[in-house]
Amino acid sequence: MMEGSKKSIILFIFFLLVGGTFLIYRGLQPVEEIYEQPTPEEIVEQYFVSWNDKNYADMYATLSDGFKKLEPSAVSLPAFKEYVDQQEVTDIVVKDVRELSNDDASATVHYKMLFTFGGKTAPFEGEFTLKNRQSDVIRGWKLIHPYGEYIDEA
């Protein structure tokens, strides 16, 4: 009876070692993560939703590195936060975000919002130009600086 018990213990230890080795091996394998970059529409919506939620870091992340270099109010996150707070917008409702054009390098997105500021709600609409920036610190679609002498064309 002792001999059968020893065999059971040896088999148990053997399977435990084989199973443990397999689990360790699987744990050392690199995990392949698939990341889907947000679409231009999703970036524009992120900008306004983040603004409404006062999530300045997410809002700032939608701007191209070129925009951040060209626009004095976006040179840093604290400067950007100060600029956004000066707008005194207390609520933003996303009504419509629609891609008008996209050639995989540049896209135009039209948006319609309801902004509340000073206790009054007013419609606000316009268009953003986005560029697919693979060289930015955070790659993907970014809002570019669209006006004045500092147009972000890079």
Side-chain angles (χ1 to χ4, degrees), residues 38-51 58-71 74 80 97 105-111 126-133 136 138-147 150-154:
T39 66
E41 287 177 340
E42 290 168 335
I43 293 296
V44 170
E45 188 164 346
Q46 174 187 337
Y47 180 83
F48 288 110
V49 169
S50 297
W51 186 353
D58 278 0
M59 191 178 177
Y60 191 68
T62 66
L63 306 178
S64 72
D65 289 353
F67 191 119
K68 294 171 187 174
K69 289 175 186 168
L70 296 170
E71 176 59 47
F80 183 69
V97 177
S106 180
T108 302
V109 175
H110 183 267
Y111 56 84
E127 292 178 1
F128 273 129
T129 300
L130 295 89
K131 297 271 176 107
N132 194 346
R133 302 296 188 151
D136 276 10
I138 301 172
R139 297 183 326 215
W141 288 101
K142 300 298 176 87
L143 303 174
I144 64 162
H145 196 288
Y147 53 85
Y150 300 115
I151 296 174
D152 181 6
E153 298 186 68

Side-chain angles (χ1 to χ4, degrees), residues 25-122:
Y25 172 76
R26 290 288 294 160
L28 294 175
Q29 296 298 311
V31 176
E32 186 176 322
E33 293 186 33
I34 298 173
Y35 174 71
E36 292 283 330
Q37 291 182 347
T39 66
E41 287 177 340
E42 290 168 335
I43 293 296
V44 170
E45 188 164 346
Q46 174 187 337
Y47 180 83
F48 288 110
V49 169
S50 297
W51 186 353
N52 186 62
D53 295 344
K54 300 195 180 333
N55 186 340
Y56 303 104
D58 278 0
M59 191 178 177
Y60 191 68
T62 66
L63 306 178
S64 72
D65 289 353
F67 191 119
K68 294 171 187 174
K69 289 175 186 168
L70 296 170
E71 176 59 47
S73 65
V75 71
S76 68
L77 180 56
F80 183 69
K81 178 188 180 306
E82 181 179 337
Y83 172 77
V84 171
D85 285 343
Q86 289 173 354
Q87 307 310 305
E88 297 183 353
V89 174
T90 57
D91 189 50
I92 300 172
V93 176
V94 176
K95 300 302 278 180
D96 185 42
V97 177
R98 189 174 3 140
E99 186 176 273
L100 300 177
S101 65
N102 183 342
D103 66 7
D104 291 329
S106 180
T108 302
V109 175
H110 183 267
Y111 56 84
K112 289 183 182 179
M113 307 289 150
L114 288 178
F115 278 21
T116 302
F117 47 94
K120 297 179 182 172
T121 300

Side-chain angles (χ1 to χ4, degrees), residues 6-27:
K6 281 183 182 180
K7 283 183 183 179
S8 294
I9 291 173
I10 291 172
L11 279 174
F12 175 75
I13 292 172
F14 173 76
F15 285 116
L16 188 62
L17 288 173
V18 169
T21 303
F22 175 75
L23 290 175
I24 290 171
Y25 172 76
R26 290 288 294 160

